[in-house]
Amino acid sequence: MYLNAQDSAKYKEPSLSKCEATDMGGAGAWAALVVAVCVMCGEGEGSVTPSPHELYENELASNDYLKVGRSLNLLPRFGFLSLSIKVFPEQESNYWLFRERTVEVFRKNSYWAVKSHGQSSSTETPRRAYDPHFVVDFCDNVQDLLTAYFDNFYIEGVPEPHRVFTSSISVQATAKHLGIHPTYLRSMYSFVLVRLLRRNRRATLDGQPALTGSFKSASSRIRVGSTESVNQFLDQYGTHVITEYEVGDVLYQVYVFGNRTYWDFKNNFAMSTTEDDLIRMERYFSPSHALYVGDVKLASGNPNFEEAVQHRLLEFTYFRFYNSIFQIFKIPDLEESLEQLDGEVVISLKLEKITKIVPKSPERHWLGEILDNTLSLFYVTM
């Protein structure tokens, strides 16, 4: 559910950056040089020289491992993948994004990444505006809350992606990430998650990916009936391939409600952008209705957030102060201050099982059986 802010003077519709025109005078020589490098560094297994716009480009991420077309192994970090992929704010070491080992499985000149959000060829991260609307999720319970937080994550073979990130993390740590007290995660409460997203860049796998010789050799060593051969393959090449991801930042806040108030809120409250409805939202999203108002959090964990922005999000009602993410509507320069804060998290991720790229054979079927059973076992026991 969305709360649009386009009619508010505090917000401006962010325009998507358009590709800038380039001087083609020197482009041909540069493209020829890149093609030559790609051919020379390829594996020489019948590779086809791509056209310039099809050249593989390294992902402009803060860690070289975050690239579409690479594979990773979920099993060693299953349940606490947030230690390897940044999705929550951290108190220390904020300036990392992805530190899970990944492996090249496709020949570099056979695939590339399609980028959006006006990504330039510079390694400098472009500064983009936040979306012109809030995303509001009504969550009947804790599971719904975590599902909503990870709603843009897809991991093939895992029905609830949030479990890969949080099922082995303590209740205290999860509550701290969400900005609420741990008590509310242990009992029967309902929640509303309000988010404001900044989308910096998205990368999607494209092209005609051709497997590397080492990958094909490793897959040929799988023996039907041998679990050990499958484990050796998974140890080397992992369980999933990164086919898409999006990087940006998220400003968010969690509100805790008692069941009676929550269901009235959920069933009767209509989202709108008129001033009257904004006032009504502030009434519901306040201590007068919510049992607990969580802290406003910035997913990137920028250490300057509290000093630059958070203290300006305070509201006052019933002789008490509380944080309100909706102050964004009221303070003209607050969004600009927020956009000045550097930092990123992974805000969406698509992983597909590695069995999809293994050549069809009885060995692939055996690999699929073992992988599916292992993922199911990890899922139900975490």
Side-chain angles (χ1 to χ4, degrees):
M1 188 174 294
Y2 299 97
L3 173 65
N4 293 316
Q6 298 171 359
D7 298 333
S8 171
K10 312 299 186 295
Y11 266 77
K12 303 181 292 295
E13 176 74 17
S15 59
L16 290 178
S17 302
K18 296 182 179 179
C19 297
E20 298 180 358
T22 57
D23 181 7
M24 297 303 293
W30 176 86
L33 174 62
V34 176
V35 170
V37 170
C38 286
V39 171
M40 291 175 65
C41 69
E43 295 189 357
E45 296 177 0
S47 59
V48 179
T49 302
S51 60
H53 74 279
E54 295 175 343
L55 295 173
Y56 174 82
E57 296 178 356
N58 289 334
E59 297 307 314
L60 302 178
S62 63
N63 190 301
D64 289 339
Y65 283 152
L66 181 56
K67 297 179 183 178
V68 293
R70 294 179 71 97
S71 65
L72 75 162
N73 192 350
L74 292 183
L75 299 181
R77 294 286 193 182
F78 201 105
F80 45 95
L81 196 60
S82 58
L83 298 179
S84 299
I85 302 175
K86 189 172 183 182
V87 292
F88 288 128
E90 300 286 346
Q91 294 289 18
E92 300 177 356
S93 302
N94 288 293
Y95 297 102
W96 64 276
L97 188 63
F98 193 98
R99 50 191 181 194
E100 186 68 25
R101 176 181 174 270
T102 59
V103 182
E104 200 77 67
V105 295
F106 300 122
R107 295 208 303 264
K108 288 187 176 182
N109 57 342
S110 69
Y111 75 107
W112 58 91
V114 173
K115 301 185 180 70
S116 57
H117 304 333
Q119 179 71 29
S120 68
S121 60
S122 168
T123 56
E124 181 181 353
T125 301
R127 194 181 301 281
R128 293 183 50 81
Y130 280 80
D131 284 353
H133 53 256
F134 287 110
V135 180
V136 180
D137 293 288
F138 289 85
C139 311
D140 297 354
N141 49 48
V142 174
Q143 294 301 313
D144 286 353
L145 175 60
L146 295 174
T147 298
Y149 192 94
F150 290 93
D151 61 351
N152 293 317
F153 288 72
Y154 169 78
I155 303 176
E156 188 177 13
V158 181
E160 296 176 299
H162 71 82
R163 298 192 63 173
V164 177
F165 290 89
T166 63
S167 59
S168 294
I169 297 178
S170 68
V171 172
Q172 289 81 1
T174 302
K176 185 176 182 180
H177 290 320
L178 295 173
I180 60 178
H181 195 278
T183 300
Y184 299 108
L185 297 182
R186 294 191 179 100
S187 303
M188 296 299 295
Y189 293 98
S190 298
F191 309 87
V192 176
L193 172 64
V194 182
R195 289 174 289 171
L196 192 63
L197 285 80
R198 175 165 64 183
R199 308 171 189 274
N200 287 347
R201 61 188 182 275
R202 177 190 289 272
T204 305
L205 180 65
D206 203 350
Q208 297 179 333
L211 297 173
T212 64
S214 58
F215 182 89
K216 290 188 286 188
S217 296
S219 62
S220 68
R221 290 193 292 270
I222 297 174
R223 301 185 304 278
V224 176
S226 170
T227 304
E228 178 65 22
S229 65
V230 171
N231 291 336
Q232 290 175 352
F233 176 81
L234 296 179
D235 287 343
Q236 184 177 359
Y237 282 102
T239 59
H240 289 76
V241 176
I242 303 171
T243 56
E244 187 176 291
Y245 71 83
E246 189 173 16
V247 169
D249 210 346
V250 187
L251 185 74
Y252 64 96
Q253 187 172 21
V254 176
Y255 297 84
V256 184
F257 289 90
N259 286 335
R260 185 172 182 177
T261 304
Y262 170 79
W263 286 107
D264 175 66
F265 188 14
K266 182 177 180 179
N267 293 330
N268 301 316
F269 195 88
M271 296 299 176
S272 179
T273 58
T274 66
E275 183 178 359
D276 289 343
D277 283 327
L278 176 57
I279 294 173
R280 191 149 59 104
M281 286 208 65
E282 290 182 307
R283 186 177 73 250
Y284 272 96
F285 289 108
S286 71
S288 62
H289 282 76
L291 287 177
Y292 186 87
V293 177
D295 295 331
V296 179
K297 308 280 285 186
L298 187 64
S300 64
N302 187 297
N304 298 319
F305 170 64
E306 184 172 353
E307 178 181 353
V309 176
Q310 193 172 45
H311 72 282
R312 304 178 66 190
L313 298 174
L314 288 177
E315 278 273 34
F316 181 78
T317 185
Y318 291 101
F319 308 104
R320 61 179 293 187
F321 286 97
Y322 67 98
N323 285 316
S324 174
I325 196 173
F326 298 104
Q327 286 290 88
I328 296 284
F329 280 108
K330 298 180 177 181
I331 304 176
D333 63 334
L334 193 54
E335 182 185 11
E336 183 178 350
S337 299
L338 189 60
E339 290 171 5
Q340 299 303 313
L341 300 178
D342 295 324
E344 293 181 322
V345 293
V346 178
I347 60 177
S348 74
L349 183 67
K350 184 177 181 180
L351 304 177
E352 297 188 17
K353 288 189 294 188
I354 201 165
T355 48
K356 282 192 171 181
I357 67 172
V358 176
K360 288 185 178 180
S361 63
E363 288 75 20
R364 184 175 86 163
H365 182 75
W366 174 245
L367 170 65
E369 274 192 38
I370 299 299
L371 179 57
D372 289 345
N373 289 339
T374 303
L375 289 173
S376 297
L377 180 63
F378 273 63
Y379 180 79
V380 299
T381 56
M382 286 292 178

